[in-house]
């Protein structure tokens, strides 16, 4: 049984869309946001999409680091009336978000400028911001503080490990406390782990900028950031609170293949351990079995195609072979989804979305995907 995504989001104010790489998180986030806007809500979707595929899908050249309203006419033309609802969209600019966070935490303009100009900060913030998980939650938090949104949908980055996202507040805290850098400077391996993917950049900096200049930049960095620590700790605590709030929920997206499903199940365990809510899972790009799941029908298919559709024997065999391939994929998908169903537990609803015959590259595509998510397909 496949559910409807609107029911899952009833009363939700923040929805974080997570899942393995390439399963359709960004596309689903946008279709979901549009569908909820069509239900009269003021919705913002924050995507993490360096390739700007969402901007392209929405027919915009570029989305910036602040939500921008999408003209309702674009959706009306594709058959989705937004009515009183509003759809806003942005793509996260991690570096800018990080600088904004520093600016907000700085007690005065002078401190802000000195930090933003500090070379150690610049290299490190590039490295940290490069792990978009950190900045995504910071931006989300800022948008909830601004208020005015009925629903915020947050897409998550195409990371090797989708779960990095859950550690974001902790990692940021480590950054601000200077723990990672301090340990690194003392030559400890823990610093390398804390900095994660940023390590190479830090080591590069230490090699490039040496001597007295580096020492003064470093001591400035620790002193200035140390001054922001209290404010940052309070923020990090608020961010964690936001992720655990009763009206915040996670929604998993997976394809019907084994590995993304395993990752989704792992994600579910991590969420549970972290005390965060999961409202459902979307199984995207499911192959639909045109034969109604009957193996027997395949044997007679070439003959039936010849007789009923008047195809030549060769063509009938070709068409039947294509049906057989789809049938096999649909069976494989069904088996994987059954396993997901059993392992997720009955309390987590599944929404099935079929593989559409083409990529979602425009508003019409988003509307089609939305129709599947919201079960409004004709
Ligand atoms: N149901 C669907 N049918 C057909 N194509 C789809 C469907 N859902 C998504 N796609 C396509 O699959 C591709 C990947 O989708 P998307 O970029 O949303 O995935 P993602 O999970 O955000 O990827 P990444 O992890 O790289 O950020 C896109 O080209 C998109 O148009
Ligand atoms: Mg994406």
């Amino acid at each position: 049984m496949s559910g409807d995504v609107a029911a899952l989001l009833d009363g939700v104010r923040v929805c974080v869309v997570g899942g393995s790489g390439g399963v359709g998180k960004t596309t689903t986030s946008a279709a979901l946001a549009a569908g909820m806007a069509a239900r009269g809500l003021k919705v913002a979707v924050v995507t993490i999409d360096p390739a700007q595929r969402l901007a392209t899908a929405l027919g915009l050249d570029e989305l910036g680091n602040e939500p921008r309203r999408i003209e309702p006419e674009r959706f009306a033309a594709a058959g989705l009336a937004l009515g009183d609802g509003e759809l806003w969209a942005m793509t996260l600019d991690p570096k800018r978000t990080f600088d904004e966070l520093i600016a907000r935490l700085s007690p005065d303009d002078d401190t802000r400028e000195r930090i933003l100009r500090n070379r150690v900060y610049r290299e490190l913030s590039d490295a940290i911001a490069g792990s978009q998980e950190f900045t995504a939650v910071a931006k989300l938090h800022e948008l909830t503080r601004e208020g005015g949104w009925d629903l915020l949908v947050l897409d998550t980055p195409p990371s090797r490990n989708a779960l990095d996202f859950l550690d974001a507040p902790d990692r940021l805290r480590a950054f601000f406390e200077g723990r990672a850098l301090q340990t690194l400077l003392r030559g400890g391996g823990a610093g390398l782990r804390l900095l994660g993917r940023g390590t190479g950049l830090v080591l590069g900096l230490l090699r490039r900028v040496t001597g007295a200049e580096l020492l003064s930049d470093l001591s400035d960095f620790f002193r200035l950031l140390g001054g922001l620590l209290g404010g940052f700790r309070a923020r990090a605590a608020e961010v964690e609170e936001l992720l655990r709030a009763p009206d915040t929920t996670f929604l998993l997206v997976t394809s019907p293949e084994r590995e993304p499903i395993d990752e989704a199940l792992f994600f579910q365990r991590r969420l549970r351990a972290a005390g965060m809510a999961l409202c459902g899972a979307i199984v995207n790009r499911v192959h639909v079995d045109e034969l109604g799941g009957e193996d027997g029908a395949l044997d007679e298919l070439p003959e039936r195609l010849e007789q009923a559709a008047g195809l030549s024997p060769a063509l009938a065999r070709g068409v039947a072979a294509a049906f057989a391939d789809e049938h096999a994929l649909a069976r494989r998908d069904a088996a994987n989804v059954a396993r997901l169903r059993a392992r997720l537990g009955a309390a987590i609803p599944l929404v099935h979305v079929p593989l559409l015959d083409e990529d979602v590259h425009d508003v019409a595509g988003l509307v089609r995907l939305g129709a599947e998510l919201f079960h409004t397909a004709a």
Side-chain angles (χ1 to χ4, degrees):
M1 221 359 237
S2 176
D4 164 0
V5 89
L8 308 185
L9 295 182
D10 194 25
V12 167
R13 208 163 64 94
V14 172
C15 174
V16 184
V17 179
S20 188
V23 292
K25 296 178 296 294
T26 302
T27 323
T28 306
S29 300
L32 194 73
M36 293 306 279
R39 277 158 182 73
L41 303 187
K42 182 173 174 185
V43 187
V45 53
V46 179
T47 69
I48 303 183
D49 189 21
Q52 291 276 353
R53 277 190 301 234
L54 178 76
T56 314
L58 291 171
L60 302 169
D61 291 330
E62 206 175 282
L63 288 172
N65 200 41
E66 291 302 324
R68 170 169 156 189
R69 184 160 180 195
I70 311 295
E71 296 91 354
E73 294 76 27
R74 288 181 187 278
F75 280 88
L80 185 70
L82 298 188
D84 292 337
E86 292 179 23
L87 176 65
W88 296 64
M90 61 166 277
T91 18
L92 183 81
D93 178 337
K95 171 75 177 134
R96 195 176 297 168
T97 302
F98 207 73
D99 288 349
E100 283 168 8
L101 179 63
I102 294 293
R104 215 161 284 118
L105 294 173
S106 296
D108 50 60
D109 292 353
D110 183 52
T111 311
R112 185 193 65 215
E113 284 313 304
R114 291 188 63 178
I115 297 182
L116 295 181
R117 275 202 316 270
N118 183 288
R119 270 176 310 170
V120 178
Y121 168 77
R122 291 220 308 255
E123 295 278 342
L124 270 179
S125 69
D126 271 352
I128 298 284
S131 312
Q132 294 144 329
E133 297 84 10
F134 302 137
T135 26
V137 277
K139 189 72 196 183
L140 185 69
H141 177 244
E142 190 201 312
L143 290 173
T144 57
R145 278 163 67 110
E146 269 175 18
W149 308 103
D150 297 318
L151 174 67
L152 290 166
V153 180
L154 176 68
D155 175 27
T156 54
S159 66
R160 275 168 304 147
N161 182 357
L163 299 154
D164 280 357
F165 179 75
L166 296 179
D167 301 329
D170 249 5
R171 290 217 188 185
L172 265 178
R173 196 155 34 216
F175 169 73
F176 270 82
E177 286 169 356
R179 266 193 277 142
L181 193 57
Q182 275 160 350
T183 329
L184 185 67
L185 293 173
R186 284 201 301 269
L192 297 179
R193 276 198 302 279
L194 279 172
L195 282 169
R197 276 162 278 164
T199 315
L201 286 169
V202 178
L203 293 175
L205 167 86
L206 296 180
R207 270 196 295 272
R208 267 198 313 281
V209 195
T210 47
E213 269 187 343
L214 173 64
L215 285 181
S216 96
D217 265 15
L218 266 177
S219 72
D220 253 18
F221 173 80
F222 282 122
R223 194 173 45 77
L224 293 167
L225 270 163
L228 306 193
L229 190 57
F232 178 74
R233 279 198 182 121
R235 284 234 158 194
E238 281 172 29
V239 165
E240 277 178 26
E241 215 171 280
L242 170 68
L243 292 178
R244 293 196 176 89
D247 51 5
T248 294
T249 192
F250 283 73
L251 180 62
L252 288 176
V253 182
T254 181
S255 64
E257 278 126 16
R258 206 177 173 86
E259 277 183 25
I261 285 180
D262 283 343
E263 199 162 334
L265 290 167
F266 185 55
F267 206 131
Q268 180 197 26
R269 287 198 293 278
R270 282 287 311 271
L271 283 175
R272 197 182 287 150
M276 293 170 190
L278 173 64
C279 73
I282 294 171
V283 191
N284 188 27
R285 295 201 299 234
V286 179
H287 290 90
V288 179
D289 195 346
E290 310 280 352
L291 294 176
E294 281 180 46
D295 276 340
L298 270 180
D299 303 334
E300 299 148 25
L301 193 59
E303 206 177 313
R304 277 175 41 207
L305 284 168
E306 275 180 53
Q307 284 164 5
L311 300 186
S312 71
L315 191 54
R317 271 198 305 279
V319 173
F323 268 104
D325 286 347
E326 274 301 297
H327 175 68
L329 288 170
R331 299 260 308 215
R332 182 209 62 179
D333 287 359
N336 287 336
V337 173
R339 183 171 147 267
L340 174 68
R341 173 71 290 163
R343 300 272 302 275
L344 267 182
I348 308 292
L350 282 186
V351 177
H352 296 182
V353 174
L355 175 70
L356 303 177
D357 23 311
E358 57 182 52
D359 261 17
V360 180
H361 52 72
D362 55 13
V363 172
L366 285 178
V367 170
R368 282 181 63 205
L369 190 76
E372 300 291 348
L373 281 168
F374 290 89
H375 288 260
T376 47

